[in-house]
Amino acid sequence: MSTETAGAPPRARVTDRSRSEERLAWRLVAPAVVVMLAVTAYPILRALYLSLFQYRATAPDDREFLGIDNYVTVLTDPLWWRDVWNTVLIMVVTVGVELVIGFAFAYVMWKIIFARGLIRTSILIPYGIITVVSAFAWQFAFSLNNGFVNGWLPFMDSDFNWFGQHWSAMTAIMVSEIWKTTPFMALLLLAGLSQVSGDMVEAAQVDGASWWQRLYKVILPNMRAAIMVAVLFRALDAFRIFDNIYVMTRGAQNTESVSFLTYRQVIEQFELGLGSALSVLLFLSVLLIAFVLVKLFRVDLAAARRES
Amino acid sequence: MIALSAAALASLSLLAACGDDSGPPELVWYINPDPNPPDGFPGAFGQAGIAERCSNDRYTVRTELLPQSATEQRIQLLRRLVAEDSSISLMSLDPVFIAEFAAADLLEPLPEDLASELSPATLQGALAGATWEDRLVAAPLWANTQVLWYRKSLAQRAGLDMTQPVTWDQIIEAAAANGATVGVQANKYEGYVVWINALIEGAGGSIVTDTEAGPDASVDIGAQAGTEAAQVIRKLASSSAAQPDLSVSNEGTVLGPLASDAGGFMVNWTFAYNNYAGGPVQDDLGWARYPRTVAGEQSAPPIGGINVGVSPYGEHTDLALDAVRCITSLENQVTYAIETANMPARQAAYDDAELREQFPADLLDLWQESIDTAGPRPPSPYWSTIVNATLSRWHPANEVDPTSTPADSASFIEDALKGRVLL
Amino acid sequence: MKRARVNAGILIGAALLLIWCLLPIVWIASLSFKPVEETATGSPQFLPKTWTWDNFSSVFQNDDFQRALINSFGISIIATVLSVALATLCAYAIARLQFRGKRLVLTIALAIAMFPVVSLIGPLFDLWRTLGLFDTWPGLVIPYMSFTLPLAIWTLTAFFREIPWEMEQAAQVDGATSWQAFRKVIVPLAAPGVFTAAILTFFFAWNDFVFGISLTSTTNARPVPAQLAFFVGPDQFNPPVSTLAAAAVMVTIPVIIIVLLFQRKIVAGLTAGAVKG
């Protein structure tokens, strides 16, 4: 769907037929829109409202109007900024690594002439697997007691506790996240690669361009749209990271993400006021990232017809 | 349209739920997970077994499993009770959460006659954990406590006289000098605060006092006792006696190292006995009172267990209160203790012949003594806030600094109680 | 010469791809065949020393897990069918009809796709309690629908744009209404796209964890990812590694079957229209 055709038909051509077409269109569209909004619009408005109160679910009678105090509390709290930093770090590192690995995999899938079914099947398994299962698999793999990672990495002490330090725990979380989502990235990039004209690549090759030159000068520029769409969706997805952290560390060793912090306030602490403020801020952060990526990198949203 | 279909779906599920009205009403009892039954165990095990035995022609008791960790159990129950959920009748509750539940009026006080029957019959330590504002709000099903488990051969090698009280310093040094380890619970969870609390209570202090004041409770973790506790933690964390997975250790991870060739010491709950009974290290397994934080001052062993409470929002509160009587009866406590090594809360149960056959007499005495002289975690409606704030400053153990951590955590806990910081 | 080197590179790449994607699967499968003792402290070998089916039989004997499997299948399939049905209508309108607010619909779908799920669970919990949807199948079906609709709409719109609509016009010329033309001509042509969208939607619902842990509390509706936290090990304080692994293998088998059968369609669905303007 290109956006140009998305607008209303010119006034002059408003006829009975187009009016009935419009009615039909809205009848077809309405159920989906209602369902999408039913679960999102009310809760976020409610969160917006509750965020203005001091409100603990276990002491509902002590509810007290605070105005924007909850937001001040959150935004001046070092924990919030630490978790924002963690989340952004996870987002940048995982998306960066996935871009490289994902491109390599896409390239392999693009070029390979045999065993395509096998390759496609293998790469789809991590995509389809439950994130929680991936988290468990990697948690056990990195486990000091019964994991194989310490034994397989020659430079690693056999009793190194991956979940005992900040950086190693973050690494374990990111490995699980990357493993699970690289296939998605690779497939989006494959779609981009298949748009690159083989003639252009061959012409460059005839002109004596090396493999790297062809990659940088011909292939990558021609699949820019695909890369940007992939980055946008994966970045937003990574920013919401929750499952892996919940299973692997529960936020210990300072591995908490913004989503996990929000979950803890709302669900564990019963701090509906403060937690709602966090919910709203989390929502705004996602909007901000989407906005920055779209504006800064000029992602063509009309092309972004995909979700993770 | 969607709201309509949602309502239709909801009423469908309601219909399904009300499908069978025949038979006596069903009381749903939310239980914490019991250990796995031994292979070939006949019939229902643990709390499920109790539920079966307590079902009669007036009501059936059905168990529904809660998640593994105490923290998760609290979340599940509290969320639903706050929402006045009618599908919970009975619940197995960790004693530390009694204050929070009771203060929010989420526990039905036990009737006079039941309370006056339980009070003299139940161990004082267990009773205290089921009481809020002088009212018994739950009935203790079993009482838990920690003792020091050790390998006799190791203590001998280290020249430690285990018939005398030992200090943390002594066992850490003895283990380190003999290539062994000291197992503690120091993951970022409730269990680590159990250890911290026991260390502080053992030095004559408390994490918080005056907890009736709610958010204005007095935070004492920064006092001298807090420093003593931090010193013990620091000493273990920086010693070769620390297990490599110290920062993620819990009651389960420490079981293996004690049975390994290196052996060692371990503080752990009563269930640990069953883990070694009948195994290769049974004869070498010793037990002693919880280690002292400071020499010359009696230790304050941790206390835990499970209390059975009744929801005020359940449909058959009177029947549920009646079921509590059966669930926590002497016979059920004895059977449960024999099955799971979770010790009875009733005094008389310890004289039961079958129980005394199953567990060594001196161990039973040690457990009873530990429960009666325990240093409980402060009963506060804000306990989970205190736990999270404490963990935020005391975890990981290897970063605990006796000169700064206690004071730092004290001001943080105060801020957290007043809602001035994110937790 | 050069050609051969490139081919070798591709070959190595393919090998790495296979290892990277399958190693954790082999690992979790290997764990599931280990006896409990081998998963205790200090047993880091990759493959089991002795192989056993015990873990699978204990998973099979776990009634709660079986209920969770039924819940997961039931809820995911219902959510998929409803979501794809609504998305098909919506995508048809977007791909085919002129109407004001089309951009708005697309923007809403995109915004929902980006929505941080955790922001919702607090208020949603309250709302569901009030409506009696907490801990019921519809209570999970509805949010799964909301969050899979954008994916389904995007995918289907892309597919629908490839359909030769002249045929529909021809049918309309022959006297069929818009609706008849849609049903008789377009539906059969669109079926493959619908099917692909269904698979992707199913994966999303099957994978969900946040709603699963927040909006359920008993085996009435608790799905598999949430149920995994309820396995009790040899000690009550740690998950039983090998039993969990066996459960993990069991919930991965459907995924592998779907992938084996439909890999072509899934790849097509994931890449369809991703970059074409």
Side-chain angles (χ1 to χ4, degrees):
Chain A
M1 240 309 307
S2 59
T3 39
E4 298 84 72
T5 60
R11 288 271 157 204
R13 285 190 9 233
V14 174
T15 61
D16 279 353
R17 168 148 183 96
S18 77
R19 226 175 300 154
S20 81
E21 181 170 307
E22 183 145 326
R23 259 205 310 278
L24 173 66
W26 270 107
R27 240 177 272 153
L28 294 176
V29 164
V33 172
V34 171
V35 171
M36 286 193 286
L37 292 181
V39 176
T40 48
Y42 166 78
I44 203 69
L45 290 176
R46 170 111 181 128
L48 202 59
Y49 170 73
L50 285 180
S51 70
L52 304 176
F53 290 88
Q54 140 95 47
Y55 179 25
R56 199 180 156 92
T58 49
D61 302 336
D62 302 345
R63 188 158 122 169
E64 192 186 327
F65 184 78
L66 283 185
I68 58 160
D69 280 11
N70 280 328
Y71 292 95
V72 175
T73 308
V74 172
L75 292 174
T76 54
D77 198 291
L79 184 62
W80 159 258
W81 293 109
R82 216 178 63 181
D83 289 355
V84 167
W85 162 247
N86 284 341
T87 315
V88 170
L89 185 78
I90 290 174
M91 179 178 83
V92 171
V93 173
T94 57
V95 173
V97 172
E98 281 168 27
L99 257 185
V100 176
I101 303 181
F103 182 79
F105 286 0
Y107 194 81
V108 166
M109 285 193 285
W110 189 43
K111 284 279 176 186
I112 202 150
I113 36 178
F114 55 90
R116 285 191 141 180
L118 173 70
I119 297 274
R120 262 204 303 253
T121 306
S122 312
I123 207 163
L124 281 173
I125 289 176
Y127 170 79
I129 211 167
I130 297 178
T131 311
V132 173
V133 167
S134 161
F136 273 123
W138 285 104
Q139 186 191 23
F140 297 153
F142 280 106
S143 156
L144 161 69
N145 293 327
N146 42 38
F148 64 87
V149 173
N150 277 345
W152 283 20
L153 294 178
F155 48 88
M156 228 61 244
D157 225 6
S158 74
D159 62 359
F160 180 73
N161 179 6
W162 282 86
F163 301 104
Q165 294 81 25
H166 172 69
W167 289 109
S168 53
M170 288 286 266
T171 307
I173 290 170
M174 287 195 265
V175 166
S176 175
E177 177 80 4
I178 291 168
W179 179 73
K180 155 88 185 147
T181 50
T182 297
F184 174 74
M185 182 74 101
L187 289 168
L188 286 199
L189 295 181
L190 175 64
L193 269 177
S194 45
Q195 302 268 296
V196 175
S197 121
D199 295 349
M200 269 163 72
V201 182
E202 255 168 54
Q205 193 164 11
V206 170
D207 288 349
S210 73
W211 188 83
W212 285 108
Q213 281 170 329
R214 271 176 281 146
L215 181 66
Y216 275 104
K217 298 265 161 63
V218 184
I219 298 178
L220 290 182
N222 273 297
M223 55 184 291
R224 188 175 171 282
I227 295 175
M228 282 308 141
V229 168
V231 167
L232 174 71
F233 278 105
R234 268 303 301 142
L236 290 173
D237 203 31
F239 190 81
R240 296 176 290 182
I241 183 168
F242 177 83
D243 300 9
N244 276 311
I245 294 174
Y246 183 97
V247 170
M248 293 174 93
T249 65
R250 297 213 123 223
Q253 313 300 352
N254 179 18
T255 54
E256 196 166 76
S257 69
V258 178
S259 280
F260 197 75
L261 176 69
T262 309
Y263 173 83
R264 280 206 307 107
Q265 297 301 318
V266 176
I267 302 292
E268 250 177 72
Q269 310 282 351
F270 295 84
E271 290 288 0
L272 293 189
L274 210 54
S276 297
L278 278 168
S279 297
V280 172
L281 287 170
L282 173 62
F283 180 62
L284 292 179
S285 308
V286 168
L287 281 187
L288 180 73
I289 291 172
F291 180 80
V292 167
L293 280 175
V294 169
K295 287 290 161 199
L296 212 64
F297 298 105
R298 299 189 304 280
V299 181
D300 184 1
L301 270 189
R305 52 182 67 270
R306 280 271 330 99
E307 208 275 315
S308 50
Chain B
M1 163 184 173
I2 291 313
L4 263 180
S5 53
L9 283 167
S11 52
L12 266 179
S13 58
L14 274 177
L15 278 178
C18 302
D20 53 335
D21 255 342
S22 57
E26 188 178 63
L27 303 174
V28 184
W29 176 19
Y30 278 77
I31 59 167
N32 59 309
D34 281 320
N36 283 318
D39 281 339
F41 185 88
F45 180 84
Q47 292 169 90
I50 297 179
E52 213 171 86
R53 289 192 294 276
C54 287
S55 297
N56 53 37
D57 46 7
R58 286 183 301 135
Y59 52 82
T60 22
V61 182
R62 180 167 65 82
T63 55
E64 191 72 58
L65 204 59
L66 289 167
Q68 214 172 43
S69 83
T71 316
E72 289 284 300
Q73 293 165 14
R74 164 187 168 266
I75 296 169
Q76 277 261 354
L77 292 173
L78 201 49
R79 283 177 70 204
R80 301 189 57 187
L81 290 178
V82 164
E84 307 192 358
D85 190 315
S86 65
S87 66
I88 301 175
S89 298
L90 296 148
M91 51 201 150
S92 291
L93 274 175
D94 196 301
V96 287
F97 302 132
I98 291 289
E100 183 176 25
F101 280 61
D105 289 327
L106 302 175
L107 287 175
E108 191 72 20
L110 300 186
E112 254 343 290
D113 61 321
L114 181 57
S116 54
E117 184 215 319
L118 287 176
S119 295
T122 306
L123 295 172
Q124 281 314 303
L127 207 58
T131 307
W132 177 248
E133 288 179 343
D134 298 326
R135 293 190 84 173
L136 205 54
V137 291
L141 171 63
W142 59 278
N144 210 354
T145 188
Q146 291 198 358
V147 297
L148 175 65
W149 305 91
Y150 64 96
R151 296 283 289 274
K152 290 176 186 162
S153 54
L154 174 73
Q156 206 164 23
R157 271 207 309 283
L160 269 184
D161 177 8
M162 297 302 291
T163 62
Q164 296 302 311
V166 290
T167 62
W168 280 99
D169 281 0
Q170 282 176 305
I171 60 169
I172 293 168
E173 279 157 23
N178 289 279
T181 59
V182 176
V184 294
Q185 292 79 43
N187 194 1
K188 196 171 184 180
Y189 79 132
E190 177 84 28
Y192 184 28
V193 181
V194 170
W195 186 35
I196 296 170
N197 183 67
L199 289 173
I200 293 176
E201 294 279 334
S206 281
I207 295 179
V208 290
T209 53
D210 192 18
T211 49
E212 292 81 18
D216 302 314
S218 148
V219 180
D220 303 332
I221 197 171
Q224 178 60 22
T227 311
E228 307 266 13
Q231 270 159 0
V232 170
I233 293 171
R234 171 99 200 146
K235 178 164 182 138
L236 177 62
S238 57
S239 142
S240 65
Q243 287 164 4
D245 59 355
L246 179 68
S247 66
V248 294
S249 60
N250 62 28
E251 291 90 338
T253 62
V254 295
L255 294 171
L258 186 72
S260 71
D261 291 341
F265 300 88
M266 163 182 90
V267 286
N268 214 334
W269 305 103
T270 60
F271 84 98
Y273 179 79
N274 264 13
N275 191 64
Y276 304 109
V281 300
Q282 186 180 18
D283 294 337
D284 195 31
L285 183 70
W287 44 84
R289 194 184 158 99
Y290 199 80
R292 297 182 164 191
T293 312
V294 281
E297 195 159 339
Q298 213 188 33
S299 66
I303 183 167
I306 285 294
N307 300 328
V308 180
V310 171
S311 158
Y313 303 113
E315 271 166 36
H316 307 282
T317 316
D318 47 334
L319 296 181
L321 285 168
D322 189 69
V324 166
R325 206 180 292 263
C326 167
I327 288 170
T328 60
S329 72
L330 185 64
E331 302 76 54
N332 276 328
Q333 293 202 4
V334 170
T335 314
Y336 187 71
I338 290 168
E339 284 172 3
T340 61
N342 291 329
M343 286 301 115
R346 282 176 185 259
Q347 184 92 51
Y350 288 84
D351 300 326
D352 183 89
E354 214 183 327
L355 189 74
R356 297 199 84 85
E357 196 178 307
Q358 183 95 6
F359 300 98
D362 61 328
L363 184 55
L364 285 174
D365 293 342
L366 176 64
W367 281 335
Q368 257 189 95
E369 174 201 319
S370 299
I371 292 167
D372 274 334
T373 57
R377 285 157 276 170
S380 161
Y382 289 83
W383 177 246
S384 75
T385 305
I386 296 167
V387 167
N388 282 303
T390 308
L391 289 174
S392 140
R393 291 300 184 265
W394 289 66
H395 191 269
N398 58 349
E399 284 170 22
V400 168
D401 180 350
T403 59
S404 60
T405 305
D408 181 29
S409 63
S411 63
F412 188 67
I413 295 172
E414 263 169 38
D415 284 346
L417 282 172
K418 303 256 160 59
R420 287 195 291 251
V421 287
L422 279 178
L423 259 187
Chain C
M1 197 55 204
K2 210 165 178 186
R3 185 110 229 146
R5 220 172 58 216
V6 170
N7 280 341
I10 294 296
L11 217 60
I12 294 169
L16 287 177
L17 184 152
L18 289 180
I19 294 173
W20 167 256
C21 291
L22 298 181
L23 183 75
I25 303 293
V26 177
W27 162 244
I28 201 96
S30 147
L31 274 179
S32 72
F33 286 108
K34 285 184 181 182
V36 174
E37 310 81 62
E38 277 189 50
T39 59
T41 309
S43 42
Q45 79 284 359
F46 189 86
L47 291 174
K49 285 181 199 144
T50 42
W51 298 70
T52 171
W53 286 100
D54 288 358
N55 303 312
F56 288 95
S57 61
S58 68
V59 169
F60 272 119
Q61 281 158 19
N62 189 322
D63 293 341
D64 286 357
F65 183 73
Q66 293 189 359
R67 299 254 291 277
L69 267 181
I70 295 170
N71 289 339
S72 260
F73 267 113
I75 294 170
S76 301
I77 288 171
I78 294 174
T80 302
V81 169
L82 293 178
S83 168
V84 169
L86 297 192
T88 306
L89 304 179
C90 184
Y92 172 81
I94 290 171
R96 197 56 203 122
L97 303 176
Q98 296 296 332
F99 64 103
R100 274 167 294 176
K102 188 185 284 189
R103 257 191 113 141
L104 179 71
V105 173
L106 280 169
T107 313
I108 290 175
L110 200 69
I112 305 284
M114 296 171 178
F115 207 91
V117 172
V118 172
S119 291
L120 306 177
I121 49 176
L124 211 52
F125 171 80
D126 286 343
L127 184 62
W128 266 202
R129 289 238 48 107
T130 320
L131 297 178
L133 289 174
F134 179 73
D135 201 27
T136 64
W137 280 25
L140 285 180
V141 167
I142 295 170
Y144 288 177
M145 282 172 69
S146 310
F147 281 90
T148 53
L149 270 170
L151 172 67
I153 292 172
W154 285 117
T155 313
L156 283 170
T157 311
F159 266 93
F160 285 175
R161 281 187 16 267
E162 309 287 315
I163 291 175
W165 296 100
E166 312 82 64
M167 291 177 63
E168 184 196 36
Q169 267 148 16
Q172 282 179 352
V173 169
D174 288 349
T177 63
S178 286
W179 171 246
Q180 283 169 330
F182 172 69
R183 200 164 53 91
K184 295 260 172 66
V185 181
I186 299 308
V187 168
L189 280 173
V194 172
F195 190 66
T196 306
I199 295 172
L200 299 180
T201 306
F202 180 83
F203 276 176
F204 179 98
W206 186 248
N207 184 38
D208 164 75
F209 181 60
V210 178
F211 288 124
I213 54 171
S214 320
L215 301 179
T216 68
S217 68
T218 68
T219 45
N220 257 348
R222 190 186 296 128
V224 163
Q227 182 67 35
L228 290 177
F230 284 77
F231 277 102
V232 179
D235 70 77
Q236 301 144 67
F237 302 91
N238 291 288
V241 173
S242 49
T243 323
L244 250 181
V249 168
M250 284 177 54
V251 295
T252 305
I253 287 173
V255 170
I256 294 179
I257 292 174
I258 292 176
V259 163
L260 273 175
L261 292 178
F262 308 119
Q263 30 107 353
R264 239 169 238 286
K265 282 193 180 356
I266 302 172
V267 171
L270 277 173
T271 51
V275 281
K276 286 176 263 179

